[in-house]
Amino acid sequence: MNNKEAVLVYGPSQYPYKFNETHPFHPLRLELTYSLLEELGAVQNQPLIQPSAATKAELELIHDSRFIEAVIAGGEGRLPDSAAEAYGLKTEDTPLFPHMHEAAAHLVGGTLRACDAVLADGYLHAFHLGGGLHHGFRGRASGFCIYNDSSIAIEYMRRKYGVRILYVDTDAHHGDGVQWAFYDDPDVCTLSLHETGRYLFPGTGHVTEKGTGKGYGFSINVPLDAFTEDDSFLDVYRAAFTEVADFFKPDIIVTQNGADAHYLDPLSHLHVSMNVYREIPRLAHQLAHAYCGGKWVAVGGGGYDKWRVVPRAWALLWLEMSGQTVFANDHVPQAWINKWKDKAEETLPTTWTDAAIPEIPRRKEVTAKNNLTLEKALYHIRTEKQATRKQVDKHE
């Protein structure tokens, strides 16, 4: 394998992104994943980048300076309650914690370093475990997300490297912050597969949200019905990602890899198994090589079953990216299970696949609804492709 095939961005921070001990967005998710990769022997001889904090100028590529000052004040215990509410801070989802600005800036910096690794340092792929905070807005925190590392990274790459970016988000929750940041931009295409907003935060991501002005057609949403299972999820994912990549022809692909569509996740109603998390990065890898010379940056995201789901899902991503999928053909390492079993709140998995999961009675109905949604989401792309084909046929 080329020693510049892939690089992992991970490292302890002096200021961890940790709201409190019981908050579902807990940094233990990252530690468990890295620990699993260590026990597999999948990181020891691989390149590793330590994240560093983004500068204020880098944060201001997307965020309003007054919001950044509010985050700094919040982390120092001097933000009035009335102001905190206006900035989406001190809420149940996004409570204040000491040094929250430093912690959030560290996550952003990790994603920026991943982008530089691919676009400047010669790596084909990069995976920042701690990234994927896709709900952050220009002037407001939202849904566990303070600064939006993906939006900042996209704007950073646009300005520094002049590239066209395809952002693909498979978190169970709509990638609203990234979509709205580039809603009128024809050089950034966002594709989000998520649970329909009828039942789940943030309530957006409708199929009719397609962009505006010069950006019309470059925001694509496929809201999936609740209780979507593996086959329907993967059919929609493969069709949407493949057709959008062919339509947009990006210079680089960024994937947000939330692991909360799994049937064990406590915060969503999708119903997929670990098989989906083996297939998601496989297609991203293929399409990155087909359209971008391999350029692919991946970030983490949601995922709230930190014991049974997230470590396996993100480990599978790194194994795919780094060409080490052979490590996932056997059992989960016993050494990892022994290390964590006394602390785990659930029985740790012993295999990379899930046992048979309960079938959903509405399976046919859900599949039909998802197929119809996909048709609506890709209508403008398929129509344009048909028109082009007719023009070609006319001149032959």
Side-chain angles (χ1 to χ4, degrees):
M1 186 185 74
N2 177 0
N3 63 3
K4 287 218 165 182
E5 182 83 10
V7 62
L8 186 66
V9 182
Y10 173 77
S13 168
Q14 182 181 358
Y15 304 110
Y17 194 90
K18 181 178 178 180
F19 294 105
N20 54 57
E21 197 55 48
T22 59
H23 197 285
F25 201 91
H26 197 287
L28 183 58
R29 304 177 315 145
L30 313 183
E31 187 179 352
L32 287 166
T33 302
Y34 191 77
S35 170
L36 177 55
L37 291 171
E38 280 189 313
E39 297 298 347
L40 285 167
V43 289
Q44 282 79 349
N45 296 313
Q46 299 293 323
L48 181 71
I49 293 177
Q50 301 284 332
S52 56
T55 66
K56 189 175 179 184
E58 289 169 338
L59 299 176
E60 287 179 343
L61 289 172
I62 288 294
H63 294 290
D64 188 278
S65 60
R66 290 169 297 184
F67 171 60
I68 297 170
E69 292 301 325
V71 175
I72 293 172
E76 295 174 353
R78 53 182 181 81
L79 183 67
D81 287 355
S82 57
E85 184 178 353
Y87 291 114
L89 300 168
K90 207 173 183 178
T91 64
E92 183 177 351
D93 277 359
T94 317
L96 301 179
F97 64 95
H99 301 292
M100 61 191 306
H101 163 77
E102 290 81 0
H106 191 83
L107 292 192
V108 174
T111 303
L112 296 181
R113 301 296 83 78
C115 296
D116 284 335
V118 171
L119 292 174
D121 300 337
Y123 289 97
L124 286 177
H125 324 305
F127 179 21
H128 178 214
L129 266 178
L133 284 76
H134 59 171
H135 295 307
F137 292 98
R138 291 187 187 279
R140 181 166 58 87
S142 177
F144 312 162
C145 305
I146 301 171
Y147 300 137
N148 192 321
D149 63 297
S150 294
S151 290
I152 294 168
I154 289 170
E155 184 63 16
Y156 176 81
M157 289 190 288
R158 268 175 23 89
R159 295 193 190 192
K160 185 172 181 179
Y161 299 106
V163 291
R164 285 163 55 84
I165 300 126
L166 172 58
Y167 170 83
V168 181
D169 189 323
T170 49
D171 195 285
H173 302 82
H174 176 228
D176 55 346
V178 182
Q179 172 180 290
W180 300 126
F182 302 100
Y183 205 56
D184 59 354
D185 191 330
D187 292 323
V188 178
C189 183
T190 62
L191 167 63
S192 181
L193 276 74
H194 48 266
E195 181 180 336
T196 172
R198 292 199 301 273
Y199 313 111
L200 195 69
F201 174 90
T204 53
H206 304 294
V207 72
T208 52
E209 295 167 16
K210 290 182 178 290
T212 189
K214 292 182 179 179
Y216 183 80
F218 297 106
S219 292
I220 298 146
N221 289 289
V222 189
L224 301 168
D225 213 36
F227 303 110
T228 291
E229 296 175 295
D230 284 15
D231 289 347
S232 182
F233 187 104
L234 289 174
D235 285 348
V236 169
Y237 169 71
R238 288 171 179 142
F241 197 171
T242 302
E243 292 186 46
V244 169
D246 186 62
F247 161 73
F248 184 66
K249 295 181 173 54
D251 297 314
I252 185 170
I253 293 172
V254 177
T255 60
Q256 197 272 16
N257 298 272
D260 47 359
H262 194 276
Y263 79 100
L264 291 175
D265 193 275
L267 299 189
S268 81
H269 314 94
L270 298 177
H271 202 71
V272 307
S273 76
M274 197 55 59
N275 180 49
V276 162
Y277 295 106
R278 190 185 292 268
E279 296 300 322
I280 283 176
R282 181 177 294 172
L283 182 62
H285 200 174
Q286 292 171 1
L287 293 178
H289 279 284
Y291 290 95
C292 313
K295 296 182 181 66
W296 171 27
V297 171
V299 292
Y304 307 102
D305 190 314
K306 61 180 177 286
W307 299 106
R308 296 173 293 182
V309 177
V310 176
R312 286 188 297 165
W314 289 348
L316 285 170
L317 194 163
W318 171 248
L319 296 179
E320 171 64 38
M321 179 180 275
S322 59
Q324 302 181 95
T325 54
V326 65
F327 284 126
N329 291 337
D330 205 344
H331 288 81
V332 172
Q334 189 61 46
W336 181 77
I337 295 171
N338 292 342
K339 181 175 181 178
W340 294 103
K341 65 181 181 182
D342 292 338
K343 296 179 181 177
E345 297 151 357
E346 308 285 351
T347 301
L348 295 173
T350 59
T351 63
W352 289 93
T353 55
D354 296 312
I357 61 178
E359 187 170 334
I360 298 302
R362 294 175 55 245
R363 183 176 189 176
K364 287 185 178 178
E365 181 184 343
V366 168
T367 299
K369 289 180 73 172
N370 288 341
N371 289 341
L372 181 60
T373 300
L374 176 69
E375 184 66 33
K376 292 178 179 176
L378 299 183
Y379 178 78
H380 63 295
I381 294 175
R382 291 175 173 177
T383 302
E384 182 177 307
K385 193 168 185 177
Q386 287 174 358
T388 302
R389 190 178 299 134
K390 286 181 180 177
Q391 286 294 323
V392 171
D393 292 343
K394 185 177 178 182
H395 290 88
E396 284 182 347

